Amino acid sequence: DCLFVTDYFTRTPRKLNAFRSFASVELFHFNMPDDTVVAVWNLITFKEQGGTFGDSCPDRNVTVYFRSGAPPVINPFHTSFPKDTIVPGSFAVTLTWTLPNRTTGVFNITSPLPGDWFLAAHLPKDEGKISVKGLYEECQYLFQPQLIVQRLIGIPVLYPGYLVDQMIPVHNKSTLYKVYIPNYSSSVKVQLKDCRISNRTMESCPVFLKMRAKAPPLHNSTYTDCKDRMSCELETKLPFWEQWYYILVDKYIGNVNFYFQIQVQVKDCSKPRSSSPNSALNMPQSFGSPIGLSLIDSLPAAGLPPMMQNISGNSPFVNEETDAHLLPSSIVNTCWPIRPTLRNELDTFSVHFYIFFGPNISIPPNRAAVFAINLMPVLDSGGVLNLELKLNVSSVMGENVTVFGCLSHGTPLTLADNSTVSCESEFSAGFVLSVNTTLNITKLRIPYPQTGTWYLSLRSLCTTDHGFAVCSNVTAEVYLRSYLTPCINDCGTYGQCKLLRTNNFLYAACECKAGWDGWGCTDNSVAYSYGFQLLSTLLLCLSNLMFVPPVAIAIRSHCLLEASVYIFTMFFSTFYHACDQPGVVVFCIMEYDVLQFCDFLGSLMSVWVTVISMARLQSIIKQVLYLLGAMVLSMALQLDRHGLWNLLGPSIFALGIMAIAWTVRTIRRRRCYPPTWKRWVFYLFPGTVIATSAVALYAFVETEENYFYIHSIWHMLIAGSVGFLLPPRAKHDNRVPPIQRRRGCGYQLCVNEHEEMGLVDPAIVSINSICTS
């Protein structure tokens, strides 16, 4: 009789990147509604190139990861994780192309967990080619996930302690219920009684009884077959707290109305009966006794559905004797009072959890110490949960004591006997820590932890010849530190911790350098050695010394402005690359952004002043163009430092000015400019070839792997081309000084030796008539 409702959710398409680290992954956040029975993800991927369909783009597989509660922790390259790191599980789907420019994948989940769901998508690792922005239209791969859910409305709610008459109609095969489990619950039991068809009582209940936390049961959920039982029961120890439990009754027989009675019993361990309240608390007496009411004790009788019947027929509540009878003695002491932690937020993903009267904790020999760590929804799932446990060896008085810790999510897992420690239940499993007199410190890291309440249960046992046993009169003291950080160890020496954002969700990830890899940049399987880092730094820095010859040529040619630009370029390119190194061989004389701007500006200005100088313009015009070029290039670099037209635009404009100047001279002199073949063969042609080769290496050959030596060659080629292309010094007229002129009138033949770049025909002379009295 429930109503099915379909909801639809979608996210904006985003461009996918090749996987380098989690910082290059596109993350999508969804919220799964409660009572969802089917969730279908429609995964759409399509190509674009230059604003049109990318039919000619190569097919690249798209990998999509799914995880409930927190972002997935992915490791496509199977790199090693940092020590003491727990890797949460997730599942992945690889999308292959079915159409030239579009592909669609469908991923179904039956009865998904409610709450936060995260999808992470990326492309395979590329070859690391460094391409010039704007040189050609890049292929873009866009990914858009869509979520379609079908959920149930009107699922009957069962109240613990009440026996309810129910029926499965002839046209239904099963029926679904849910019950809310409060805090401090040690077990949940579901009972079926009085199974019958119409008015005929049956000797057994021909049904399957299934139960699951948070979502409707699946085929592999906890179940029991009741076909051979008169009274059917299904019990779960240590259930999740503050969660809905779903109960499915699935009948064998069909075409009949099936009647039965169902009852849920929740065992409450919040009030220990084997010891006084203050002694049960693992905290000072001033905190008082624990207060933990079960759901039954807090429900008013008037708020109960009228169809509910009480168990005894007299009172709608379970009395103390009944509750005590339902609670076995082996379970009474497993729900110890829980000490809360104080949350101290220092910064984003920088949270410390302080314990009352901590951080030193005393663990009695006969009971566990339980602590609660509360992670805020969504906000805390993008960091790393860290735990440190250290044993005070002097507190155990020479005994061979081992302190076991069990970190679990949703419920404290403290089931243990006198010889073993278990950190798992029927529905969940935790993470085990241990310290002893030999290894007295341990750490645990959980990247992207699920939000909600985490419980840490600590218990001390002594080592004997036959295993572990309860210690006698030894109270172990441990130091506990719990905190949340953005990244593991701040990504170490060879990594950078980046704070990322997708819509309204923040998360942190490491971006490694110098060949280091892994979640915390601790995998050095393909890392650069120190010698390699030093060699690459020296090559990139010392290759700029090739600008020394162009500076000397410019000074010799009296081109002081050009020489100053070359010195500026050589200086900032050297120190920019010294600061830009990915390893530890790094030296920064000022902020990285300033060095990068000055390096880019110097490189573009070197091209600009060299080409303008080759035009051989008048001095005033040349200086104006130098100043205008510096201002325009500074503006262009502020807009986009990696744009193609930042280099091509000034170069083409300067070449246009040079071409116009040379054309005017050619027309005026009626012969090709420059006129000497030696200038073309030994200077202009080699300089042009060298410059063209440098641009080709920079644009088409440079990759991340060969960057250090290809870019060094680029430095040397550009500096070498400047030395060839820079024009020689202009020669001045050798006129006869006035004091050497003879008195009187006469004629003197004066040869104008002002040959710009050797371009004036020696046969052309000028005759000056000088007549003095």
Side-chain angles (χ1 to χ4, degrees), residues 601-662:
L601 179 62
S603 301
L604 296 179
M605 280 297 297
S606 297
V607 176
W608 174 260
V609 299
T610 302
V611 179
I612 295 298
S613 178
M614 291 172 63
R616 303 305 289 257
L617 303 174
Q618 294 184 8
S619 178
I620 185 63
I621 298 178
K622 183 174 69 172
Q623 294 175 11
V624 169
L625 287 176
Y626 284 176
L627 182 59
L628 287 176
M631 292 188 292
V632 172
L633 289 175
S634 299
M635 178 197 68
L637 290 176
Q638 280 297 106
L639 293 176
D640 187 4
R641 295 184 187 179
H642 301 279
L644 175 65
W645 288 102
N646 287 347
L647 177 62
L648 287 184
S651 301
I652 293 175
F653 186 72
L655 288 172
I657 295 176
M658 185 189 71
I660 293 173
W662 284 12

Side-chain angles (χ1 to χ4, degrees), residues 540-541 544 573-581 599 707 711 715:
L540 287 169
C541 294
N544 289 284
S573 179
T574 300
F575 286 99
Y576 165 68
H577 286 290
C579 184
D580 187 48
Q581 295 308 300
D599 173 59
Y707 173 80
H711 202 76
H715 287 165

Side-chain angles (χ1 to χ4, degrees), residues 157-160 179-183 185 244 266 268 293-300 317:
V157 178
L158 300 178
Y159 291 86
V179 60
Y180 187 77
I181 306 303
N183 279 330
S185 299
W244 287 98
V266 178
D268 184 3
L293 298 177
S294 66
L295 183 61
I296 307 172
D297 299 332
S298 60
L299 285 175
F317 301 104

Side-chain angles (χ1 to χ4, degrees), residues 193-204 230 259:
K193 299 179 180 179
D194 194 16
C195 300
R196 63 189 186 276
I197 298 175
S198 297
N199 294 326
R200 181 170 60 88
T201 303
M202 306 180 65
E203 296 181 356
S204 63
M230 188 66 183
Y259 298 88

Side-chain angles (χ1 to χ4, degrees), residues 70 431 503 677:
F431 308 109
N503 294 335
W677 64 270

